[in-house]
Amino acid sequence: MMKTTTSLQQLLQQSPYQAYVYSYPHKTAYRPINPPINLAELWSKQNRNALFLYIHIPFCEMRCGFCNLFTTVQHNQDFTDRYIRTLQRQAKRVEAAIGDASFARFAIGGGTPTQLPVPGLEAILDIAEDTMGANLQQIPISMEMSPETVDKEKMELLRSRHITRASIGVQSFIDTEVLAIQRRQKASQVKAALTLMREANFPTINIDLIYGLPGQTVETWLHSIKEALQFQPEEIYLYPLYVRPLTGMGISDKEWDDTRLECYREGRDFLLSEGYAQVSMRMFRANHAPDAETAPVYCCQADGMVGLGCGARSYTDTVHYSNDYAVGAKEVRQILQAFIHRKDEDFDCADYGFVLDLEERKRRYILLSLLSDEGLNVVKYRQHFGTDAKADFPELSELILLDLATWNRETLRLTASGVERSDTIGAWLFSDQVRYLMESYNLK
């Protein structure tokens, strides 16, 4: 029997926007792995029939005021060329270590992948197809982009190479709101980019928007959502503004809680009225999206993920691994330089990450299930682990007592109030060990 020691009642008194729980454990819980784990041995124990391939491009034209991603704006053509050559070296070693495998999904993230010129994008896609063996014609492929980096030539290339999902960070259609988070884009530029994306006929276009921006009101927030809907996106992600260490935002969370909650609720209700289904706190999918009823949620945190690139994570059932993490420009540059200068054989081992014991695997399973619309199915949990979720985590009953979740036959599913408290519930389910590692991490 496992017990979450942090009080849910106590967490509910804090800001509902603590952190985006898109993976567990968070990268700030990673530490050096001693001794390093040989990748061939590690992946030989993993089901490799339907892996997720992820390639990380750590380049942006600017760093947004809210951003704490591993990315740099200090790069030139020579540096990006050296990075791509290092990716090619890494891919050859990783492919050899993994052995016979097939990929069911592929995503290119960052940073901003479309910051690369056309030859660079072609090189990245060649790594996936020719080196890693991913069949780009048959699997869903996602590419992240920004308005400043969208042009006709790149869009045509990406569609010719079978990219099926184009995801663009818009954040707001109000120029003064994006300027407040240190972005230079204009609404006219965003609309031109979205028009090019539509003309390229991507099966799925996703638009990211942020609520709680400085100067934003509920009215301007709904204006941005309505502007986004003019382009009939198959997916929309509504993100709260997070105020994170080492970023450009100096606002306290509490100043924005009431506004963010009101924006979230109004945005959610409006999208639901427009025929979108809520998949998670952040993700909404249109009823006209391809295979809307059966398509799995896009994610890059599924077990069985192979990550290439300096900021990429890789996941097996028992080990999550990556390179070191930083936000500060100097530290990011140092980690990138170390990555580029690695010897080929250095890519054969996992030497930085987190080893998941049985309890951590159970927590991860519960988190990823509970925070999406599928909910936690106790029958599937038992089939996966051979134990009862209610017995393993008796504190789950607190969610029902607080009207944050309901039992629907065999499934524990969050209520509307529970969904909007996803950050709180996610943090509550973290283990004491992960919480300690995150809190003791030296941010840089």
Side-chain angles (χ1 to χ4, degrees):
M1 180 183 298
M2 289 157 272
K3 179 67 178 174
T4 299
T5 58
T6 300
S7 166
L8 179 56
Q9 284 276 26
Q10 183 179 15
L11 287 175
L12 289 171
Q13 304 307 310
Q14 301 175 13
S15 169
Y17 303 111
Q18 298 295 318
Y20 177 19
V21 185
Y22 67 92
S23 183
Y24 180 83
H26 189 269
K27 203 170 183 179
T28 52
Y30 291 13
R31 295 295 187 272
I33 298 175
N34 256 319
I37 303 172
N38 180 269
L39 292 188
E41 179 182 350
L42 176 62
W43 282 98
S44 68
K45 304 171 185 176
Q46 180 77 28
N47 186 329
R48 291 163 287 158
N49 293 329
L51 298 178
F52 191 123
L53 178 63
Y54 177 79
I55 296 181
H56 180 254
I57 308 300
F59 307 123
C60 284
E61 68 273 15
M62 71 188 86
R63 180 178 279 278
C64 302
F66 57 85
C67 178
N68 71 339
L69 298 177
F70 183 87
T71 186
T72 181
V73 299
Q74 300 174 347
H75 56 88
N76 53 32
Q77 189 59 52
D78 176 67
F79 192 78
T80 57
D81 287 345
R82 286 192 290 149
Y83 182 82
I84 291 172
R85 288 196 295 269
T86 305
L87 271 175
Q88 292 167 334
R89 293 193 296 115
Q90 182 190 23
K92 290 177 182 178
R93 305 295 289 206
V94 171
E95 191 278 332
I98 292 176
D100 188 23
S102 59
F103 293 95
R105 286 182 159 196
F106 173 37
I108 308 170
T112 308
T114 46
Q115 179 76 9
L116 295 176
V118 165
L121 291 171
E122 289 182 311
I124 297 302
L125 293 166
D126 288 343
I127 289 172
E129 188 166 36
D130 299 337
T131 305
M132 298 303 297
N135 189 334
L136 303 191
Q137 298 184 42
Q138 295 186 1
I139 63 175
I141 308 169
S142 180
M143 170 81 77
E144 295 178 15
M145 53 191 70
S146 67
E148 296 89 344
T149 61
V150 171
D151 63 39
K152 186 176 181 181
E153 185 181 11
K154 289 179 183 177
M155 297 304 99
E156 290 178 347
L157 165 71
L158 297 180
R159 279 304 291 136
S160 72
R161 297 296 297 271
H162 312 290
I163 304 299
T164 57
R165 180 181 184 269
S167 180
I168 186 168
V170 172
Q171 321 319 348
S172 171
F173 282 85
I174 306 290
D175 291 349
T176 55
E177 291 179 359
V178 293
L179 185 61
I181 53 173
Q182 302 168 26
R183 289 179 71 106
R184 299 187 298 263
Q185 73 194 33
K186 301 291 185 181
S188 57
Q189 186 179 30
V190 172
K191 293 177 182 180
L194 283 164
T195 298
L196 286 174
M197 292 163 66
R198 267 290 163 230
E199 290 175 347
N201 293 317
F202 291 101
T204 298
I205 288 179
N206 171 70
I207 297 176
D208 290 344
L209 298 174
I210 292 182
Y211 54 92
L213 299 174
Q216 188 181 59
T217 65
V218 173
E219 289 71 28
T220 62
W221 167 238
L222 290 176
H223 169 79
S224 284
I225 296 177
K226 291 173 183 177
E227 288 290 288
L229 293 191
Q230 296 299 312
F231 297 90
Q232 298 184 307
E234 285 71 26
E235 295 174 7
I236 295 184
Y237 275 71
L238 307 184
Y239 289 96
L241 175 69
Y242 289 109
V243 183
R244 297 172 168 121
L246 304 182
T247 65
M249 305 302 298
I251 310 160
S252 71
D253 271 332
K254 193 59 183 172
E255 290 179 59
W256 297 101
D257 283 351
D258 291 344
T259 299
R260 286 185 292 187
L261 276 172
E262 187 176 4
C263 284
Y264 164 77
R265 291 166 180 166
E266 292 289 339
R268 172 200 62 195
D269 292 349
F270 180 72
L271 286 177
L272 292 176
S273 72
E274 292 293 312
Y276 283 77
Q278 186 168 17
V279 179
S280 67
M281 174 182 163
R282 295 159 181 80
M283 180 184 176
F284 295 80
R285 180 188 282 134
N287 56 15
H288 66 271
D291 301 320
E293 295 183 359
T294 58
V297 176
Y298 167 76
C299 62
C300 56
Q301 74 271 18
D303 292 331
M305 185 172 85
V306 179
L308 300 176
C310 193
R313 312 183 204 195
S314 295
Y315 302 127
T316 70
D317 292 337
T318 57
V319 179
H320 293 185
Y321 61 94
S322 69
N323 290 289
D324 199 1
Y325 165 70
V327 177
K330 179 181 178 181
E331 290 78 6
V332 168
R333 187 76 176 184
Q334 290 173 344
I335 294 171
L336 279 168
Q337 290 283 9
F339 175 77
I340 287 173
H341 288 100
R342 293 188 84 170
K343 299 177 181 178
D344 289 356
E345 56 267 28
D346 292 339
F347 293 117
D348 294 343
C349 292
D351 57 12
Y352 186 81
F354 188 94
V355 178
L356 289 82
D357 61 18
L358 180 60
E359 178 187 344
E360 298 291 10
R361 296 199 295 275
K362 290 180 176 180
R363 286 184 183 276
R364 176 174 169 79
Y365 185 98
I366 289 174
L367 275 162
L368 296 184
S369 301
L370 191 58
L371 298 186
S372 75
D373 62 340
E374 69 175 288
L376 173 62
N377 185 291
V378 294
V379 174
K380 292 181 180 178
Y381 180 96
R382 179 180 290 279
Q383 291 171 346
H384 195 79
F385 294 108
T387 56
D388 182 72
K390 296 179 184 179
D392 287 345
F393 294 88
E395 62 269 34
L396 290 172
S397 61
E398 294 180 45
L399 294 171
I400 299 171
L401 293 175
L402 294 169
D403 295 323
L404 299 175
T406 59
W407 281 110
N408 180 10
R409 298 182 179 176
E410 300 164 342
T411 303
L412 181 66
R413 187 169 282 112
L414 295 181
T415 61
S417 297
V419 172
E420 73 178 34
R421 288 286 183 161
S422 291
D423 287 356
T424 303
I425 294 168
W428 172 62
L429 287 169
F430 289 3
S431 70
D432 289 341
Q433 179 196 18
V434 166
R435 193 174 293 109
Y436 168 78
L437 289 169
M438 291 175 63
E439 291 172 355
S440 61
Y441 183 79
N442 182 27
L443 290 170
K444 52 186 182 292

